[in-house]
């Protein structure tokens, strides 16, 4: 039953997305919400069934196998896929529930109405592709859903069809696609020629001389997807997308799936040579420096959050850097960070989207006195900025603390301190910038009369504030079960 539920979580939104290309306005609203809602309900049902009956086990279901290629397609249901699948499904539904109002004609900055069915179609495909990617057990399955995510990302980023949006959309498609060509085609080539199997489970049979190079190829695919140095520039440009899409690709899809890919590979490939750790530590360190230098320069709310995403993904990769040494706490820290980041980053983006919806601007210099003109938005903006800086009781504080447990790597090399120090420094710089904007945006003199909002907007923000506060508590039992691959059922 669990396998059937998992399969429905991604097949239903993919089918719904294909139909949505032919719909618009109210029928499109209904089918989009039905698709996202069904995916969430199937995922929650699957998570409940898994926790109740098979908690901690790995369930591997093969759907397509051949003599020459071994396993061609299947699914893995384990603590990691169940946790991240739940995050994607729940966050995606909230983002698009908000999106029904954001894409309406009442949006001051981007009046919508007709034409939103196309946006819904791409977003629903995006959801299905992301959930399919989370559960895939073979490199061919991962590649197919990886590319479908890239296509959907292009569709939503270029949706407004301005020159800047078209340019950003192609950039968001091409850069990760180059990573896919290098990483996945290498992995599939090795799987076909050396292992005669495309399953992730076959990675343990690779010769020690091949493992590091296969991992580096897939690591590059993960870096391009997650906007890490040197391929980070597409993510600030992708802010041309409608805000619900920005929230999804930053909080629960594109960026996080690059991290998820590398974590999945590490689960099955096992410990790697120490030089891999040094390489990853160097890349993470450079990546974390870039947003720190850019935070003080940003006056656009979405671009500020975009550079924060580069850093937060870098923090997830810091955990995976330690996992490359065989420390399973590194995988736990990365997945814990991915979970808590999804809701707080979504909160930040949906709040920024409300600036567009109610005030017609994303320029933080023109926004003041939110506590009087938009009190719910003032609260959510404060929670988002303080939470992204790593302050408790927001869940992201606890996932960052989990990273400190990885310092057992100090017995291998004192260099292990460097990524953690940079993570802490990033939090300090973002806190300084965040406090500056909170004082001005929330507590400053009102920049306008009380602005109009909508109950759908406020309900979505309140739901994300609550999830920001409780996500760490809810996720921790599954996080503790995540580790390197175990017995297959």
């Amino acid at each position: 039953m669990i396998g059937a539920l998992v399969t429905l979580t991604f097949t239903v939104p993919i089918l719904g997305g294909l139909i949505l290309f032919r719909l618009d306005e109210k029928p499109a609203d209904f089918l989009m919400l039905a698709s996202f809602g069904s995916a969430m309900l199937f995922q929650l049902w699957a998570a409940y069934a898994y926790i109740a009956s098979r908690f901690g086990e790995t369930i591997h279901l093969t759907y397509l196998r051949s003599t020459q290629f071994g396993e061609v397609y299947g699914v893995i249901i384990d603590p990691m896929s169940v946790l991240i699948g739940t995050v994607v499904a729940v966050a995606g539904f909230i983002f698009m529930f908000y999106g029904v109002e954001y894409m309406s004609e009442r949006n001051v900055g981007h009046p919508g109405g007709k034409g939103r069915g196309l946006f819904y179609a791409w977003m629903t495909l995006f959801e299905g592709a992301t959930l399919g990617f989370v559960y895939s057990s073979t490199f061919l399955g991962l590649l197919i859903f990886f590319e479908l995510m890239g296509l959907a990302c292009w569709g939503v980023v270029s949706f407004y069809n301005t020159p800047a949006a078209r340019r950003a959309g192609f950039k968001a498609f091409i850069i990760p696609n180059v990573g896919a060509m290098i990483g996945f085609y290498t992995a599939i080539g090795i799987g076909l020629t050396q292992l005669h199997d495309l399953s992730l489970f076959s990675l343990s049979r690779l010769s020690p001389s091949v493992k590091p190079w296969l991992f580096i190829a897939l690591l590059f695919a993960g870096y391009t997807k997650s906007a890490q140095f040197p391929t980070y520039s597409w993510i600030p440009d992708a802010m041309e997308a409608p805000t619900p899409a920005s929230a999804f690709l930053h909080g629960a899809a594109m960026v996080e799936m690059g991290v998820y890919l590398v974590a999945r590979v590490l689960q099955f490939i096992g410990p790697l040579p120490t030089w891999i750790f040094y390489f990853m530590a160097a890349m993470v360190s450079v990546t974390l420096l870039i947003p720190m230098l850019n935070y003080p320069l940003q006056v656009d709310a979405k671009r500020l959050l975009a550079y924060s995403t580069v850093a937060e993904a870098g923090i997830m990769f810091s955990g995976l850097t330690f996992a490359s040494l065989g420390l399973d706490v590194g995988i736990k820290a990365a997945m814990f960070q991915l979970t808590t980041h999804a809701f707080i980053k979504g909160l930040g983006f949906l709040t920024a989207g409300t600036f567009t919806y109610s005030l017609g601007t994303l320029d933080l210099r023109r926004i003041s006195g939110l506590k009087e003109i938009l009190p719910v938005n003032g609260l959510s903006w404060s929670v988002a900025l303080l939470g992204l800086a790593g302050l408790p009781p927001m869940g992201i504080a606890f996932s960052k603390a989990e990273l400190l447990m990885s310092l057992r790597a100090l017995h291998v090399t004192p260099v292990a301190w460097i990524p953690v120090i940079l993570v802490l420094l990033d939090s300090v710089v973002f806190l300084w910038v965040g406090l500056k904007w909170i004082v001005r945006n929330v507590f400053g003199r009102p920049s306008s009369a009380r602005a109009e909002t909508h109950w759908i907007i406020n309900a979505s923000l309140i739901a994300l504030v609550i999830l920001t506060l409780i996500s760490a508590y809810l996720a921790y039992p599954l996080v503790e079960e995540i580790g390197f691959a175990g017995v297959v059922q």
Side-chain angles (χ1 to χ4, degrees):
M1 183 184 75
I2 298 175
L5 290 171
V6 161
T7 303
L8 287 170
T9 63
F10 58 87
T11 54
V12 167
I14 288 174
L15 292 173
L18 294 174
I19 297 170
L20 277 163
F21 280 107
R22 306 292 297 176
L23 300 178
D24 200 5
E25 298 183 280
K26 291 297 183 182
D29 291 342
F30 175 79
L31 182 57
M32 180 276 291
L33 285 176
S35 298
F36 273 85
S38 297
M40 181 178 68
L41 292 175
F42 285 132
Q43 174 59 41
L44 291 174
W45 188 1
Y48 173 79
Y50 175 78
I51 292 170
S53 62
R54 306 290 292 273
F55 185 60
E57 296 182 21
T58 298
I59 304 170
H60 178 204
L61 303 175
T62 301
Y63 292 150
L64 182 61
R65 177 182 291 276
S66 75
T67 304
Q68 185 177 1
F69 302 142
E71 184 183 354
V72 177
Y73 181 71
V75 298
I76 301 173
I77 306 166
D78 66 351
M80 193 158 99
S81 60
V82 169
L83 173 63
I84 305 308
T86 302
V87 169
V88 171
V90 172
F93 177 77
I94 295 173
F95 298 163
M96 292 310 295
F97 178 71
Y98 169 102
V100 170
E101 181 58 29
Y102 184 87
M103 299 302 292
S104 74
E105 66 280 357
R106 291 177 289 276
N107 188 323
V108 175
H110 285 294
K114 289 186 177 181
R116 63 184 182 266
L118 177 62
F119 173 69
Y120 293 160
W122 285 123
M123 282 299 297
T124 311
L125 281 176
F126 210 163
E127 165 95 340
T130 305
L131 288 166
F133 185 86
V134 166
Y135 285 106
S136 290
S137 65
T138 68
F139 286 113
L140 183 59
L142 289 168
L143 174 61
I144 291 170
F145 289 118
F146 189 99
E147 295 286 36
L148 186 54
M149 275 192 283
L151 181 63
C153 184
W154 165 79
V156 298
V157 172
S158 60
F159 174 74
Y160 286 129
N161 203 32
T162 63
R166 291 194 297 270
R167 183 169 57 250
F170 280 114
K171 193 173 182 180
F173 176 75
I174 291 169
I175 291 177
N177 193 57
V178 170
M181 290 173 65
I182 293 173
F184 282 108
Y185 296 159
T186 299
I188 290 172
I190 291 173
L192 293 178
T193 59
Q194 294 197 18
L195 300 171
H196 305 291
D197 195 344
L198 297 176
S199 172
L200 288 168
F201 291 92
S202 67
L203 288 175
S204 60
R205 305 201 307 269
L206 274 176
S207 67
S209 62
V210 175
K211 275 186 180 182
W213 302 109
L214 173 64
F215 178 75
I216 287 292
L218 289 164
L219 181 64
F220 185 72
Y223 281 162
T224 59
K225 201 76 160 176
S226 296
Q228 299 294 282
F229 176 82
T231 62
Y232 68 92
S233 65
W234 71 267
I235 199 72
D237 293 345
M239 295 306 92
E240 295 293 328
T243 295
S246 298
F248 191 64
L249 71 92
H250 283 259
M254 287 283 284
V255 174
E256 278 72 11
M257 290 306 103
V259 176
Y260 184 85
L261 167 65
V262 176
R264 253 318 184 211
V265 173
L266 280 169
Q267 265 195 316
F268 290 94
I269 208 168
L272 293 159
T274 307
W275 70 264
I276 294 284
F277 169 84
Y278 290 124
F279 175 77
M280 293 181 71
M283 296 294 284
V284 162
S285 299
V286 175
T287 297
L288 288 172
L289 287 172
I290 291 167
M292 279 190 274
L293 294 173
N294 277 280
Y295 292 149
L297 307 178
Q298 304 309 309
V299 295
D300 181 288
K302 286 175 70 174
R303 288 184 72 87
L304 173 64
L305 294 171
Y307 279 106
S308 166
T309 297
V310 175
E312 297 299 334
I315 293 168
M316 299 174 209
F317 274 110
S318 296
L320 298 181
T321 300
F322 295 111
S324 70
L325 296 173
L327 298 174
D328 62 358
V329 70
I331 300 180
K332 297 180 196 293
M335 294 301 101
F336 202 10
Q337 175 75 4
L338 192 160
T339 300
T340 57
H341 172 256
F343 299 112
I344 198 161
K345 183 53 60 69
L347 177 65
F349 271 109
L350 296 197
T351 304
T354 310
F355 298 157
T356 302
Y357 175 92
S358 298
L359 304 173
T361 183
L362 286 168
D363 190 337
L364 294 170
R365 296 167 298 185
R366 298 173 55 193
I367 300 169
S368 185
L370 289 173
K371 69 181 178 65
E372 295 186 28
I373 62 176
L374 289 168
V376 173
N377 295 290
L379 170 66
S380 61
W381 189 235
S382 301
V383 170
L385 294 183
L386 294 176
L388 287 169
L391 293 187
M394 278 65 83
I396 207 168
F398 303 102
S399 58
K400 288 183 178 181
E402 180 90 0
L403 185 64
L404 297 175
M405 308 224 7
S406 300
L407 284 178
R408 286 181 289 174
L410 282 171
H411 76 276
V412 178
T413 171
V415 174
W417 275 109
I418 295 176
V420 175
I421 290 173
L422 286 169
V423 167
L424 297 174
L425 186 58
D426 173 80
S427 294
V428 170
V429 176
F430 191 86
L431 177 61
W432 166 57
V433 173
L435 285 173
K436 180 187 75 170
W437 288 120
I438 289 172
V439 169
R440 180 167 183 165
N441 302 150
V442 179
F443 298 102
R445 179 178 297 176
S447 56
S448 67
R450 190 176 180 88
E452 294 296 325
T453 186
H454 193 277
W455 73 267
I456 289 179
I457 299 283
N458 287 341
S460 303
L461 296 178
I462 291 169
L464 286 171
V465 168
I466 294 170
L467 285 168
T468 291
L469 295 172
I470 67 173
S471 57
Y473 172 77
L474 295 176
Y476 193 70
L478 278 168
V479 168
E480 282 302 288
E481 295 295 321
I482 295 173
F484 292 100
V487 178
V488 181
Q489 300 298 318

